[in-house]
Amino acid sequence: MKVENVQVYGLEESIRRAKFPMSVDVDSLNHDVTQGIITLGKSSVGSGHDNFLNGIVIQFDLTFSNKAWVEAERYHFFDFVSSQSTMHRITQFKLKDQCNKYVDSRIIDIVQEKIDEYNRLKELDKESHSDSRTELLKELYLEILYNIPSGFELTAGMTTNYRQLKTIYHQRKTHRLPEWREFCAWIETLPKFKEICLGE
């Protein structure tokens, strides 16, 4: 798991705006973290009282395994801006470098053999176009795609908010996949996250 290029937007503005419901003079509001803000921020997931956390938008590049990406897709406000593509580039990756330490080297070797064979045939195909080779290439490409291990890692640009990260944090902080636990540890490092979302 790796997180890079992190940008947080709207933190102070959202804290100030969270004070609107109890205010008569919105011009006098500031972005100080008060007990009221902490109470709202650490309210139960799904209660609606923590809605101001939606305004704290965060963007980052996240490298996760295929296994973790499949699980990440359940979060509705965990949006993919763009990601690396196995469909377009699987035969150009160095497979060994893309797999985490849990992938058996024998599996890597088998898939790498298929990639090497595909690339060899692709070169031959450039020289002489053969319908039978074209069909073989299509089949071999599918074999490669369907045999990529769950520990294969890809990077995606993500956009989300503190409210969604709070949900992820509570659901994944003790997850069996180490990368989820690492991701939750990273969430704790975000500006004021522990203070306003966890009450620490």
Side-chain angles (χ1 to χ4, degrees):
M1 196 285 304
K2 183 169 63 174
V3 183
E4 298 176 303
N5 303 316
V6 180
Q7 297 289 329
V8 178
Y9 305 95
L11 177 60
E12 293 181 350
E13 294 87 346
S14 294
I15 291 171
R16 184 183 68 82
R17 291 172 180 145
K19 299 173 183 178
F20 280 4
M22 304 305 286
S23 175
V24 199
D25 177 16
V26 294
D27 292 334
S28 67
L29 299 177
N30 59 36
H31 58 264
D32 293 345
V33 177
T34 61
Q35 186 54 51
I37 293 297
I38 293 169
T39 300
L40 292 173
K42 68 176 191 166
S43 63
S44 300
V45 171
S47 69
H49 296 297
D50 59 356
N51 204 50
F52 80 99
L53 297 175
N54 288 340
I56 308 171
V57 176
I58 180 166
Q59 293 188 324
F60 51 93
D61 297 336
L62 176 61
T63 302
F64 251 3
S65 69
N66 276 343
K67 177 65 179 151
W69 278 127
V70 168
E71 294 179 358
E73 289 172 359
R74 77 181 305 272
Y75 295 107
H76 184 66
F77 297 105
F78 200 51
D79 294 326
F80 288 75
V81 175
S82 187
S83 67
Q84 289 181 295
S85 172
T86 53
M87 192 59 71
H88 294 302
R89 289 292 182 257
I90 192 57
T91 59
Q92 296 171 34
F93 283 110
K94 284 191 171 181
L95 195 63
K96 188 176 179 183
D97 295 343
Q98 293 294 129
C99 291
N100 66 28
K101 66 181 182 178
Y102 301 105
V103 179
D104 190 312
S105 62
R106 294 170 296 176
I107 294 169
I108 294 171
D109 290 343
I110 290 169
V111 179
Q112 189 62 58
E113 277 179 32
K114 291 179 182 295
I115 290 172
D116 293 344
E117 178 65 6
Y118 176 88
N119 288 331
R120 187 184 70 76
L121 290 173
K122 188 78 171 168
E123 277 302 311
L124 290 173
D125 196 48
K126 286 179 184 174
E127 298 164 14
S128 64
H129 295 288
S130 160
D131 288 341
S132 61
R133 188 174 292 131
T134 301
E135 285 306 310
L136 178 61
L137 282 167
K138 287 179 183 176
E139 288 297 309
L140 190 51
Y141 204 81
L142 290 175
E143 283 183 29
I144 294 165
L145 287 173
Y146 284 120
N147 281 284
I148 293 301
S150 292
F152 185 83
E153 297 179 331
L154 293 170
T155 301
M158 307 301 295
T159 297
T160 190
N161 58 61
Y162 271 34
R163 192 177 187 196
Q164 186 67 96
L165 289 178
K166 184 175 97 169
T167 300
I168 292 171
Y169 181 84
H170 286 299
Q171 292 179 348
R172 304 282 173 169
K173 64 183 175 184
T174 59
H175 198 274
R176 291 178 75 173
L177 287 184
E179 53 204 308
W180 276 121
R181 296 193 305 272
E182 292 166 20
F183 185 70
C184 289
W186 168 76
I187 290 173
E188 290 181 351
T189 69
L190 292 171
K192 298 192 186 301
F193 184 88
K194 286 172 79 173
E195 185 180 3
I196 63 177
C197 296
L198 307 180
E200 295 180 19

